[in-house]
Amino acid sequence: MAHCRCLLMPFLYPRLEVFSKPLKASSRLLDTARVHRRHLHSEVSHSESSIQIPASPDLLSYNEHLNPPPEDYGRTIFADKCKLSLHAGSGGHGCISFLREKFIAAGPANGGDGGSGGNIYIQAVRGETSLHKLARRGILKASRGKNGQGSSRGGQRGEDVLIQVPVGTVVREISRYDPVTEESEKLRMTSNSASVEGNAHRDKWILYPSSDPSEYATADFPDLPRPRRSNLAIMQPPAPISMDLSEPMEQPILLAAGAVGGLGNPHFVTKTMVRPKFATRGGAGMRLELELELKLLADVGFVGLPNAGKSTLLRALSRSRARVGDWAFTTLQPNIGTVVLDNSYGRPRLHSVDSDGERRTQFSIADIPGLVPDAHLDRGLGLDFLRHIERARVLAFVVDLSIGDSVLALKNLWKELNEFERLKDRDTNRETEHRIVSWQAFGSSVSTTSPQDAEVETGKEDMMIKPGSQALPPLQMPPISSKPWFVVGTKADLPSSQANYAHLKTYLESVSAGKVALPSGKKHGWKGQLMVIPISAIRGEGVDQITGWTISLLNL
């Protein structure tokens, strides 16, 4: 209404003068109401601040992170084993081009070569804890090289693919298809010449774009060059691939080099053919089928019965958002948490150095689903989660001190682990015997070719060897009984847990002194100092002792 104060406005719009007065009055009323409301709010806030609510101990001990609402649960996505199908990039086609300049009616050939296909690399990096990203994709393909261009310009290389995996990943080859090796083998079986007749492989050539498609059948192609391999192929690991990526890598490793590009038409210029109207196609890329498996799941693995408080303990030690609840089988797959020792802010909590001499700033913890009686017989959640236990560097047996006999619970856990190792050793021996004596050929009972590398069909006169696709044998892990371990007694804040804790402590002291046999029952088991740490995970009390004791075991 500021513009209504003009002298001409009342004469042109007389009703605006009438409406401006009630509007000004209403604005004054609104300003008065705002001041009154602000004054009233300040009095109420002052009266509320003067009231001191007594803080109860139960309210202070409650931690929303340790006992969260269901909305705070994070989605657990974990995979410690996956299969990948890798496709290296194919090469680009050669170009058919001729020089076009003023006063040059028929210039010479100047087509460029095709670009090489993309390579596939692998690298073990810190920070990755699972293979679920790779398992979800399944197939990784490097891009194809670009076709050659005129004026002797080569095609652009295809984009590479970098596979980043956690430290401790084992890479094993299941099968491969190498077009260069296959073509070289066919060439060796047909003739020993340096080249092969081009008319026999018309699918390897491309003609000038203006040519009629029927000319493919009548064109006289020269001899096809021998199959070529990329210069980077010398950096590939020998076949079959078997690598243990147990340390972080500064530079990636080449798994599959891309195929070379096709040759442009200048490569086929002769005295009789000055302007060739054909070029070669780019080579096909190599295909690999690999199996990736985590050898080291975490630095510490929680082993215990269902509803023993493992997930709550994981949340107390780290910022994990694992689901917690007062019922069995809350955890259905491993949850990985990270305990930060040095967050680069102030002094670190603990000083520790890893095996490489570098300062340890963190360590990982795996909350493994609970074990039930006869878990080695595939009861409960199956044998897969027993397999996760042997992939931890240190074992922490989580025992509930509020119910049952803690010593008996510890012995039952070790019983399941011993039975699992016994079954695994029996299966390994059986597979080894089957792999050594697999088939009979030419009067011999011992196979010189592993079925992992090839499958042999003997029903025909000519034997045909096909790439193998059988399952790989399981990884060989160190015995579980040889790993350092300790016991964590949860729910120690309850009054009924005192006697149970004293009984468990006395038992572990007897085992450390050699008066009682190890609960694993192995003579050559780990014989270090055993300790039980009483905690209250829901209150976050006593959990700092776990960090210090774990660091001392990791430094062994």
Side-chain angles (χ1 to χ4, degrees):
M1 292 301 172
H3 299 284
C4 297
R5 297 177 184 179
C6 180
L7 295 177
L8 298 178
M9 291 299 293
F11 302 96
L12 298 177
Y13 306 98
R15 293 186 59 84
L16 291 178
E17 184 70 18
V18 179
F19 286 123
S20 62
K21 295 181 179 179
L23 288 175
K24 292 179 180 179
S26 60
S27 62
R28 286 194 297 269
L29 291 177
L30 289 176
D31 294 340
T32 305
R34 292 193 188 99
V35 172
H36 179 70
R37 190 183 301 110
R38 190 180 302 111
H39 179 68
L40 181 62
H41 177 70
S42 62
E43 291 182 353
V44 172
S45 60
H46 177 72
S47 61
E48 290 180 352
S49 61
S50 61
I51 300 175
Q52 296 182 357
I53 301 176
S56 65
D58 296 336
L59 183 60
L60 293 177
S61 62
Y62 176 81
N63 192 332
E64 186 178 359
H65 178 68
L66 301 180
N67 191 10
E71 295 80 8
D72 189 60
Y73 296 156
R75 183 184 177 188
T76 302
I77 304 177
F78 179 82
D80 65 338
K81 189 175 182 180
C82 71
K83 291 184 179 181
L84 287 181
S85 180
L86 307 181
H87 298 252
S90 302
H93 302 326
C95 178
I96 307 171
S97 176
F98 303 97
L99 179 64
R100 297 174 60 89
E101 290 186 0
K102 191 176 182 181
F103 306 117
I104 300 179
N110 65 349
D113 298 340
S116 301
N119 308 319
I120 299 179
Y121 298 88
I122 190 169
Q123 183 181 15
V125 296
R126 299 182 186 271
E128 294 289 340
T129 58
S130 175
L131 298 174
H132 68 276
K133 299 178 183 178
L134 299 176
R136 183 170 58 245
R137 299 184 66 177
I139 300 176
L140 298 176
K141 295 183 179 181
S143 61
R144 175 181 172 273
K146 303 297 183 181
N147 297 336
Q149 301 178 9
S151 302
S152 300
R153 291 178 296 176
Q156 186 179 0
R157 288 183 61 253
E159 295 183 2
D160 300 335
V161 172
L162 177 61
I163 305 174
Q164 293 185 340
V165 297
V167 178
T169 302
V170 176
V171 183
R172 295 186 292 177
E173 178 182 329
I174 300 177
S175 63
R176 72 166 53 203
Y177 170 72
D178 191 355
V180 177
T181 303
E182 183 178 355
E183 292 179 7
S184 301
E185 195 67 21
K186 290 181 180 179
L187 181 62
R188 185 184 63 84
M189 297 176 64
T190 55
S191 64
N192 296 326
S193 60
S195 59
V196 65
E197 186 179 354
N199 295 327
H201 298 272
R202 296 183 179 274
D203 57 333
K204 303 294 184 181
W205 298 90
I206 56 176
L207 290 177
Y208 194 66
S210 62
S211 302
D212 191 84
S214 61
E215 295 184 13
Y216 267 105
T218 59
D220 187 14
F221 295 108
D223 293 339
L224 189 69
R226 293 183 64 90
R228 298 178 300 141
R229 196 182 297 271
S230 174
N231 296 331
L232 295 177
I234 195 175
M235 302 173 59
Q236 295 178 173
I241 297 176
S242 180
M243 298 185 300
D244 185 0
L245 308 180
S246 57
E247 296 180 357
M249 301 164 54
E250 296 182 359
Q251 296 181 352
I253 297 177
L254 177 64
L255 288 180
V260 296
L263 300 177
N265 58 342
H267 291 273
F268 308 101
V269 174
T270 61
K271 295 180 179 180
T272 59
M273 187 180 298
V274 183
R275 293 168 53 87
K277 294 186 177 182
F278 45 79
T280 60
R281 297 181 181 272
M286 178 191 300
R287 296 197 299 266
L288 288 176
E289 187 176 357
L290 302 179
E291 181 183 80
L292 276 62
E293 189 171 0
L294 283 180
K295 184 182 69 174
L296 180 62
L297 179 63
D299 294 324
V300 184
F302 289 160
V303 184
L305 298 174
N307 200 23
K310 300 184 295 298
S311 300
T312 307
L313 177 57
L314 179 66
R315 296 183 71 107
L317 289 171
S318 64
R319 298 184 63 86
S320 174
R321 298 172 57 194
R323 185 176 64 170
V324 296
D326 192 12
W327 62 84
F329 297 110
T330 306
T331 303
L332 299 179
Q333 54 185 344
N335 296 317
I336 307 297
T338 302
V339 179
V340 179
L341 302 177
D342 186 6
N343 57 358
S344 301
Y345 183 79
R347 295 183 178 180
R349 297 171 57 185
L350 292 172
H351 294 277
S352 176
V353 180
D354 56 13
S355 58
D356 299 333
E358 299 181 358
R359 187 166 57 91
R360 181 182 284 110
T361 59
Q362 61 186 19
F363 65 90
S364 55
I365 300 178
D367 173 23
I368 302 172
L371 303 181
V372 298
D374 296 335
H376 65 280
L377 300 178
D378 207 8
R379 294 182 180 178
L381 295 179
L383 294 174
D384 290 340
F385 301 102
L386 284 171
R387 179 171 52 87
H388 295 150
I389 296 176
E390 62 180 355
R391 284 163 168 76
R393 191 172 298 172
V394 177
L395 300 181
F397 290 87
V398 182
V399 179
D400 189 357
L401 298 178
S402 62
I403 56 173
D405 187 358
S406 57
V407 176
L408 181 60
L410 178 62
K411 291 181 178 179
N412 290 335
L413 292 175
W414 270 112
K415 176 184 176 182
E416 296 300 329
L417 298 183
N418 293 334
E419 293 294 334
F420 169 70
E421 281 194 328
R422 185 179 61 84
L423 291 177
K424 189 183 70 170
D425 294 341
R426 186 185 63 183
D427 295 341
T428 302
N429 295 335
R430 186 178 303 172
E431 291 178 1
T432 304
E433 294 176 358
H434 177 71
R435 189 163 58 249
I436 293 177
V437 183
S438 57
W439 55 277
Q440 294 183 357
F442 307 108
S444 175
S445 61
V446 180
S447 172
T448 58
T449 303
S450 172
Q452 173 184 339
D453 301 332
E455 297 175 356
V456 181
E457 292 185 355
T458 58
K460 300 179 181 180
E461 183 178 355
D462 297 331
M463 279 200 317
M464 180 177 61
I465 300 178
K466 301 187 303 181
S469 58
Q470 296 184 0
L472 297 176
L475 291 177
Q476 297 298 326
M477 297 292 180
I480 299 179
S481 58
S482 64
K483 297 179 180 292
W485 61 278
F486 64 99
V487 182
V488 178
T490 59
K491 305 177 184 180
D493 55 330
L494 301 179
S496 59
S497 62
Q498 301 300 324
N500 213 356
Y501 166 70
H503 180 43
L504 180 59
K505 182 179 180 181
T506 304
Y507 170 74
L508 293 180
E509 291 176 353
S510 302
V511 173
S512 300
K515 299 179 181 179
V516 181
L518 293 172
S520 61
K522 305 290 185 179
K523 295 182 180 180
H524 303 287
W526 188 73
K527 298 181 180 180
Q529 182 182 359
L530 299 179
M531 184 178 182
V532 54
I533 303 176
I535 66 165
S536 174
I538 194 65
R539 294 174 177 266
E541 299 174 357
V543 295
D544 293 337
Q545 301 181 26
I546 300 177
T547 304
W549 189 256
T550 301
I551 291 298
S552 64
L553 294 180
L554 291 176
N555 292 336
L556 294 178

